[in-house]
Amino acid sequence: MSTAPKTAAPAAGRAATKKELPEHFKAYKHVWVFIEQERGQVHPVSWELMGAGRKLADKLKVDLAAVVIGPEGEATQSAAAESFCYGADLVYMVADDLLADYRNESYTKALTDVVNTYKPEILLLGATTLGRDLAGSVATTLLTGLTADCTELDVDADGSLAATRPTFGGSLLCTIYTLNYRPQMATVRPRVMPMPERLTRPVGRIVSHPLSLVEDDIVTKVLSFLPDRDSAKSNLAYADVVVAGGLGLGSPENFQLVRQLATVIGAEYGCSRPLVQKGWVTSDRQIGQTGKTIRPKLYIAAGISGAIQHRVGVEGADLIVAINTDRNAPIFDFAHMGIVTDAIRLLPALTAAFQARLSPHSRDRIAS
Amino acid sequence: MHIVVCIKQVPDSAQIRVHPVTNTIMRQGVPTIINPYDLFALEAALELRDQFGGEVTVLTMGPPSAEDSLRKALTFGADRAVLLTDRFFAGADTLATTYALATAIRKISTEFGAPDIVFTGKQTIDGDTAQVGPGIAKRLGLLQLTYVARISALDLQARTIDAERRSEGGVQMLRTRLPCLVTMLEATNQIRRGAMADALRAARAPIVKWSAQEAGVEDISKCGLRGSPTIVKRVFAPAARSEKAALIEVGEQPAEALIDAIFKRQPALETELAALARGY
């Protein structure tokens, strides 16, 4: 992404005059996904990326490889085995007990070495705190392009990775290319790509690569790790039903109406970005490009206008229901269903109606 | 102790408007602000300076008007401001940006003393990449601590720093060596109200302004658009869904009508919601 103000817009002109890929980059082949494993758990975003990577690899007619980095032992072996079930043709593995905890120095070394040795043309990572920490270091070491938080990945007719992401604070989308450098790197946030089907497949070819470090080489030490309490974690990103509120609610007190509806229908609650910026709701509840991406079966958006940065976070929902007083609000451009009314009035009625409808008592009545 | 804080002047995203026909950003009249995430970095730096002594230098790359953000940072109490401005920097992606900023930090080291810590915000609100901090660290060979919620200890004799780093499933307590780069997490502190003396000083303080050459850039082809491996090929607004949202009539019982419509469209949801609701 451009981080400096543009005086003109020569980018398009430059892209149009694509140079021939330098000779030493022509050896870069295949699509890779970094499998993010922390404390024995593979982050689901890695499997979501395997699904996206599989499509790119098929289109390019190349292999899809998973890169598994972690400590020696069961967890890393099982992450490698699982990678095949999610579509890997082969796995590159760096297993060393120095990699038990994520540390930037050791993981950057491990991933950079494997890239330099086996040369992928595309490298995908999850846009998590780990993935972003690692991707920035690896891309700078390799002096290649890195596109953050992509919402769509595709390959062009000439085989270049076309990475689309929101820009200008989420008010527009842009498609970014890394034409003359390899690998082409991109990160994708959790839940942006659908979870692919897991197929039972045998373990295939695993290429092991050594970590050329000893503990004394790694300056940073992990003193301890405090896991989050389960109760402190919101399951927003992976919830089946989500209710969210926006500025249309008018006051922080009215956000209670969202939470009440969420409780009655067993949903997680969330909000749009302005509510976090105003301090009405904590940032772990923010839905959108800079918050959580959700893919629920039902999403009810109350008093949310539907800016692009919000839209990219909810488009994967099966059914989007919008409640807004403004008939011209952008949310009605991508909601499946809507009602033009004041959410402050409708939400309590909706909560009561759902409660009546969903109670076991009323279900008996329907059955009879 | 010397601390460098990298800040960025960004358009206030809450006020960005997109032209409905041309799909271009309407920049006119959009006010600029210091990237809000950078204020947490600046406050963390000022707190360390107040506790351990030393100086805080704020650094930004941008057009000449970015001076406004530097002056604002001085009103909060930063000691020195450096503006990196040159048309050669225009159009830089994150890799080219880190080249320019790392070069400028080297120059700051020789002019004003090597930094013990370089701070950045977690990310910017316009680019949202979170790549510039790690990129600067890599180019300068600094150890990096990203998504830091709290600096729990700093030992200038032993040259160590302890920090709480937010990871996906918890908090990592890390110890590393100075000099290092820290990206601060949001809502970890509250930017101070500047003192009157700082405000008066900021209004008149000289801002150090460097062109690419003055900052010590040796290879201009690594700067700006030319130095950027990524290319923005297309900027566009997403298309509306082909079918418009089905609008429910607001009649006597809008809530019931809406629920009927939801269950009519997705019949399986009724059973699933009942099951979910029972779980609460």
Side-chain angles (χ1 to χ4, degrees), chain B residues 60-113:
Chain B
T60 196
M61 179 175 93
S65 61
E67 185 178 327
D68 298 347
S69 287
L70 290 174
R71 287 203 188 277
K72 183 78 185 163
L74 292 174
T75 68
F76 291 125
D79 300 284
R80 180 187 298 112
V82 178
L83 172 61
L84 198 54
T85 188
D86 198 312
R87 63 190 176 85
F88 287 113
F89 296 135
D93 72 358
T94 55
L95 192 76
T97 299
T98 60
Y99 175 74
L101 289 173
T103 305
I105 292 171
R106 282 199 198 94
K107 171 86 170 182
I108 287 172
S109 300
T110 51
E111 297 276 313
F112 310 114

Side-chain angles (χ1 to χ4, degrees), chain B residues 2-7 34 38 41-42 45-46 55-61 69-84 108 119 207-208:
Chain B
H2 187 200
I3 301 174
V4 171
V5 183
C6 299
I7 66 171
I34 297 178
D38 297 345
L42 179 58
L46 294 171
E55 286 187 323
V56 170
T57 301
V58 281
L59 166 67
T60 196
M61 179 175 93
S69 287
L70 290 174
R71 287 203 188 277
K72 183 78 185 163
L74 292 174
T75 68
F76 291 125
D79 300 284
R80 180 187 298 112
V82 178
L83 172 61
L84 198 54
I108 287 172
F119 275 101
I207 304 273
V208 180

Side-chain angles (χ1 to χ4, degrees), chain A residues 35 67 83 112 303 317 320 361 363:
Chain A
I35 304 299
V67 186
S83 299
T112 308
I320 301 172
H361 182 68
R363 290 180 54 76

Side-chain angles (χ1 to χ4, degrees), chain A residues 3 102 104 129 132-133 165 173-175 177 220-221 223-224 226 228 297 311 333-334 336 338 357, chain B residues 8 92 97 123 128 144 146 168-169 171-173 175-176 231 233-234 236 239 241 244 246 248 260:
Chain A
T3 53
Y102 173 74
N104 177 270
T129 54
R132 287 175 141 205
D133 185 278
R165 76 183 300 267
L173 297 171
C174 64
T175 302
Y177 290 76
T220 304
K221 308 295 174 198
L223 304 178
S224 62
L226 302 173
D228 291 331
K297 292 174 179 163
R311 175 176 176 168
D333 290 340
F334 59 93
H336 301 94
R357 189 81 169 250
Chain B
K8 186 183 180 190
T97 299
Q123 62 197 58
D128 279 319
Q144 81 181 42
T146 55
E168 290 298 308
V171 177
Q172 263 188 332
M173 314 288 283
R175 172 170 296 165
T176 199
I231 290 161
K233 232 182 180 178
R234 199 161 78 93
F236 59 102
R241 234 188 256 280
K244 271 288 227 184
I248 310 301
D260 284 341

Side-chain angles (χ1 to χ4, degrees), chain A residues 262-322:
Chain A
T263 305
V264 161
I265 61 175
E268 287 284 346
Y269 69 90
C271 69
S272 61
R273 185 168 69 183
L275 269 55
V276 173
Q277 288 177 342
K278 281 180 175 290
W280 294 5
V281 187
T282 53
S283 62
D284 61 321
R285 294 287 172 177
Q286 184 185 327
I287 298 170
Q289 186 216 352
T290 52
K292 300 279 193 307
T293 297
I294 59 172
R295 306 181 74 87
K297 292 174 179 163
L298 173 63
Y299 174 52
I300 300 176
I304 292 176
S305 64
I308 289 176
Q309 62 86 15
H310 185 77
R311 175 176 176 168
V312 298
V314 303
E315 267 185 321
D318 293 342
L319 179 60
I320 301 172
V321 178

Side-chain angles (χ1 to χ4, degrees), chain A residues 121-138:
Chain A
E121 59 189 302
I122 293 172
L123 173 58
L124 308 177
L125 299 93
T128 58
T129 54
L130 190 162
R132 287 175 141 205
D133 185 278
L134 178 61
S137 297
V138 171

